[in-house]
Amino acid sequence: MKRLLVTGGAGFIGSNFVHHWMNNFPDDRLIILDALTYAGNIQNLDGIKNDHGLTFVHGNILDLDLVERLFEDQNIDTIVHFAAESHVDRSILGPDEFIRTNIVGTHTLLKAAKNCWLDKGTGIPHRFHHVSTDEVYGSLLPDDPAFLETTPYAPNSPYAASKASSDHLVRAYHETYGLEVTTSNCSNNYGPYQFPEKLIPLCIANILDGKPLPIYGDGKQIRDWLYVEDHNRGVRVILKEGRPGETYNIGGLNEWKNIDIVRLICKLIDEKLKRNDSYLRRFPKTPVSKGESSETLITHVADRAGHDRRYAIDPGKISSELGFSPETTFESGVRKTIDWYFDNEAWWRSIMDKSYLDWVNKNYREKGETD
Ligand code: NAD
Ligand code: DAU
């Protein structure tokens, strides 16, 4: 039986990881450490079947005493570190929290791991898995090859720079102290429980409320999208089979321009609404309920500062070494995601009421259709 400390386990990817892990390894023990920032939601952990194996701790990764106490009291042998400030736009508006959580917070966990696993010599075979992002590699030109694990780091946003710093610290604790670490750098995730400030859930929620779909700049920026369950299967194979000290890129070989994704979401939602009259009654503000297409909501707004043009992951290493490949195609993943947001309206409404979504409207001046 493994005893995992999952940081950020009430956030989007972390909570999906907890569901995934408990479904696959019901005898393991999971201790979730989450500060429940605006992005964390305890409801994301509802419905976990084996909740006897779960402990939720409301606390901050910056709290060294708390983290060391958890290590000792709970005999932790594995850390899966998801906790972070994760939204690029917020990092542009206010980088300080990103420095604190993503850099100092990761360092606090590393210190605790070193103190408890190495210095006090508990003898527990251990693993520190750090969940990172492809944004550390910077931006690609249209014909550049996809990011490899050896691609030099060139982060462009405060968020990406904070994640890059944390990756370097994780590497240094392996090289200097011998901590058994692995790192994964993943591409854009989507799926259930994603906070509706990120592109895909924001568009779904806004279509259902008949609100504008803000496209930054020309909308031709490219991201490489992966269904969250596939990301977590990737983390799982690294935890089980990955070599300490190694980093693994996780991606879906699935590059899309933002504007094309938004059009796909419009099409799939319009089809779904037209198939069922009760949806039209439930979502009377949707363009479809007025006989229009959701694409009429597309609104080009000012571009994100320092906006990376293209990301693409080369997943060759995790594929050849660990046999990993994504299972969910993009269209089926987007359909599943749309269905989830239809079925969980109360979840996203309660979040959006208290969220900063007005910030989008305040900070991004509409500049009219340019595409
Ligand atoms: P998220 O913003 O949805 O969730 C972050 C979680 O961390 C929340 O539950 C929040 O409460 C918690 N948290 C934040 N600060 C904390 C602190 N100081 N102490 C304890 N808990 C804290 O993020 P996400 O999208 O699920 O991303 C999870 C991880 O995956 C991050 O490290 C992110 O950099 C990485 N990542 C995300 C994506 C993506 O597309 N979302 C892709 C690649 C990598
Ligand atoms: O690549 C991995 C990264 O993906 C993760 O490390 C980050 O945590 C995660 O937030 C995500 O970053 P992005 O900035 O790529 O995701 P976001 O959903 O914010 O934006 C996706 C693209 O869509 C990006 O090019 C910006 C654009 N966009 C986004 C929003 C929210 C818009 O055009 N309009 C919007 O309203």
Side-chain angles (χ1 to χ4, degrees), residues 269-288:
I269 291 188
D270 288 359
E271 286 171 4
K272 187 173 167 82
L273 290 167
K274 283 179 194 160
R275 279 198 301 271
N276 189 332
D277 279 353
S278 72
Y279 286 143
L280 293 178
R281 285 192 294 278
R282 212 171 116 199
F283 301 110
K285 294 182 180 157
T286 52
V288 166

Side-chain angles (χ1 to χ4, degrees), residues 11-13 34-35 37 40 60-61 82 84 86 101 132 159 163 187 189:
F12 162 48
I13 305 173
D34 198 297
T37 66
N60 202 304
I61 59 167
F82 293 96
S86 69
T101 287
S132 192
Y159 162 71
K163 293 296 290 186
S187 58
N189 283 218

Side-chain angles (χ1 to χ4, degrees), residues 2-198:
K2 305 296 281 178
R3 304 177 70 90
L4 287 74
L5 178 64
V6 182
T7 72
F12 162 48
I13 305 173
S15 62
N16 276 285
F17 175 84
V18 173
H19 285 271
H20 177 87
W21 200 270
M22 291 312 261
N23 285 338
N24 286 282
F25 306 103
D27 295 332
D28 282 355
R29 187 122 182 70
L30 262 61
I31 295 89
I32 298 165
L33 175 61
D34 198 297
L36 296 180
T37 66
Y38 80 95
N41 188 340
I42 193 83
Q43 289 173 40
N44 297 0
L45 300 170
D46 284 354
I48 290 179
K49 288 188 201 84
N50 299 289
D51 57 2
H52 61 273
L54 269 194
T55 302
F56 181 80
V57 180
H58 182 198
N60 202 304
I61 59 167
L62 288 154
D63 185 344
L64 181 64
D65 289 344
L66 170 65
V67 176
E68 290 196 348
R69 210 168 345 111
L70 288 176
F71 262 82
E72 281 165 14
D73 293 353
Q74 304 283 349
N75 285 324
I76 302 295
D77 55 37
T78 306
I79 288 197
V80 195
H81 175 34
F82 293 96
E85 287 294 332
S86 69
H87 192 39
V88 173
D89 292 331
R90 286 178 187 255
S91 82
I92 296 167
L93 199 62
D96 300 68
E97 209 51 44
F98 289 72
I99 306 306
R100 274 191 286 274
T101 287
N102 299 1
I103 305 178
V104 185
T106 301
H107 186 239
T108 306
L109 294 172
L110 289 164
K111 267 197 299 191
K114 173 179 173 291
N115 290 346
C116 297
W117 284 334
L118 302 181
D119 299 349
K120 289 183 190 160
T122 60
I124 302 178
H126 64 267
R127 173 66 67 85
F128 186 115
H129 182 73
H130 176 54
V131 178
S132 192
T133 171
D134 59 1
E135 302 209 8
V136 298
Y137 300 120
S139 187
L140 292 169
L141 294 169
D143 295 326
D144 282 348
F147 301 130
L148 287 163
E149 289 77 2
T150 48
T151 300
Y153 275 28
N156 290 318
S157 70
Y159 162 71
S162 69
K163 293 296 290 186
S165 307
S166 64
D167 293 7
H168 292 320
L169 285 166
V170 171
R171 179 190 147 84
Y173 266 68
H174 174 73
E175 296 295 329
T176 305
Y177 305 114
L179 199 67
E180 302 227 327
V181 306
T182 40
T183 295
S184 49
N185 294 86
C186 188
S187 58
N188 282 62
N189 283 218
Y190 66 100
Y193 302 112
Q194 187 166 31
F195 193 87
E197 64 186 351
K198 307 281 169 64

Side-chain angles (χ1 to χ4, degrees), residues 11 27 92 94 96 104 156 214 226 247 298 303 307 324 350 353 366:
D27 295 332
I92 296 167
D96 300 68
V104 185
N156 290 318
L226 186 68
T247 68
I298 290 176
D303 208 350
H307 199 168
F324 169 82
S350 65
D353 285 348
E366 288 190 16

